[in-house]
Amino acid sequence: MAVRPAYKQLAQLAMLAKKRAHAPYSHFRVGAALLTSENEVYTGCNIEISTYALTVCAERTAIFKAISEGRTKFKAIAVVSDDPGYTPPCGACRQVLMDLAGNIDFVMVNGRGATKVLKLKSLLPHAFGQKNLERTKKRHH
Ligand code: THU
């Protein structure tokens, strides 16, 4: 029987990453920790910009760091904020994670450090993806 990996350590690394959040506008601080297939961890925090729309979420900071360092295979991402409850990812991050990491485990961490694990696919059913682009390419050639 497959054993679900322990995500407690990943959650703790997300909590540490949250300390580096740059959130002077919303004051909503978020930390993320992305686990690669080789059990390395890339962390991220949200980074807010004065023209608010340029803000980057913690999840995207983490995955862009990992991709830019040559990592391409992932197992899970843990996310935590100062909200005592669980923090679900925004729609933009769901798409970015699905494209770049696939159907990984999304580990929501609450203020007590408790975790709730959801498959990314359950957070983004019927996702748009590269496969959709490929189908139209075939038709036009
Ligand atoms: N935010 C994240 O970094 N990740 C999430 O999963 C939810 C939202 C950030 C974006 C913005 O800096 C702040 O939280 C409030 O939306």
Side-chain angles (χ1 to χ4, degrees):
M1 197 177 87
V3 177
R4 175 177 271 185
Y7 289 136
K8 210 150 189 68
Q9 207 186 349
L10 199 63
Q12 277 164 0
L13 290 169
M15 287 180 211
L16 281 178
K18 178 165 68 73
K19 291 184 199 259
R20 297 189 212 107
H22 178 72
Y25 310 108
S26 73
H27 303 288
F28 191 83
R29 303 164 66 79
V30 186
L34 177 67
L35 183 66
T36 73
S37 61
E38 294 184 340
N39 297 319
E40 297 170 301
V41 176
Y42 284 83
T43 59
C45 59
N46 57 330
I47 303 170
E48 296 183 349
I49 303 300
S50 57
T51 56
Y52 300 174
L54 294 180
T55 291
V56 182
C57 293
E59 295 91 322
R60 276 177 289 149
T61 302
I63 195 153
F64 292 158
K65 280 171 67 180
I67 295 281
S68 70
E69 296 291 329
R71 303 302 180 265
T72 54
K73 291 194 167 67
F74 306 99
K75 289 182 184 172
I77 188 166
V79 176
V80 69
S81 74
D82 290 327
D83 183 341
Y86 294 105
T87 303
C90 81
C93 286
R94 293 176 199 212
Q95 181 70 45
V96 169
L97 290 171
M98 184 62 86
D99 264 35
L100 299 178
N103 189 25
I104 58 171
D105 285 345
F106 191 93
V107 184
M108 290 192 274
V109 187
N110 73 10
R112 292 173 165 181
T115 56
K116 184 157 89 177
V117 184
L118 289 169
K119 281 280 173 195
L120 190 60
K121 213 171 175 172
S122 74
L123 290 164
L124 187 66
H126 311 290
F128 185 84
Q130 197 180 5
K131 64 184 187 301
N132 303 95
L133 296 170
E134 276 162 8
R135 276 203 289 270
T136 59
K137 256 189 232 155
K138 269 182 212 144
R139 214 174 288 154
H140 291 295
H141 282 102

